[in-house]
Amino acid sequence: MTLRRTAYALGLLLAASTAAPAQSVLYVARPAIALSVSDRSAARQAPVEFTVTMPDGKTTRATATPQMNGERAGTVHYPSDFGNAGMHVGDYRWSARISGREVMSGTFSYRPSKEGQLLFVPG
């Protein structure tokens, strides 16, 4: 095969391979929530343990480690920072504890969209 034919055949293969993914794009979005609690009166921020209770009653935990030598509160992301986290339709409850004392709590939900994806709904 000559160089010209090889280049032409390669061009057709590239055109075919670039056209196919555009027609079969799979878009995956994972809705997430960032959790962070700070004590404005504290000189240094403490680690914060977050507990999330899933719709089935199971709990999962993650700890937000302070940043910049304690000058800024840390942040955790649900579900990626929580070991056995689940993302299912339903209501979730979260709580934040500093030194074993609950300092804040809240809720969020996942709801199905018309397209069948999960939507994050803050509480």
Side-chain angles (χ1 to χ4, degrees):
M1 195 181 267
T2 68
L3 184 58
R4 187 175 193 181
R5 285 185 190 167
T6 304
Y8 179 73
L10 241 147
L12 287 178
L13 284 174
L14 286 174
S17 66
T18 56
Q23 294 173 357
S24 61
V25 172
L26 176 64
Y27 177 74
V28 177
R30 252 181 96 106
I33 180 173
L35 299 168
S36 183
V37 172
S38 65
D39 183 351
R40 293 181 188 202
S41 63
R44 299 181 75 67
Q45 298 298 315
V48 180
E49 182 184 54
F50 288 93
T51 302
V52 174
T53 303
M54 297 176 273
D56 62 3
K58 293 180 183 175
T59 60
T60 184
R61 292 181 173 76
T63 300
T65 305
Q67 304 296 311
M68 299 173 55
N69 294 324
E71 292 178 22
R72 289 184 41 204
T75 303
V76 292
H77 298 87
Y78 186 88
S80 60
D81 291 331
F82 291 76
N84 60 340
M87 282 181 44
H88 306 286
V89 171
D91 300 321
Y92 293 71
R93 183 182 185 308
W94 64 267
S95 66
R97 295 183 176 277
I98 297 175
S99 300
R101 183 177 59 95
E102 186 174 287
V103 294
M104 190 172 274
S105 64
T107 61
F108 63 92
S109 303
Y110 287 115
R111 299 287 181 239
S113 72
K114 292 177 185 175
E115 295 81 26
Q117 299 166 330
L118 285 179
L119 299 175
F120 169 75
V121 181

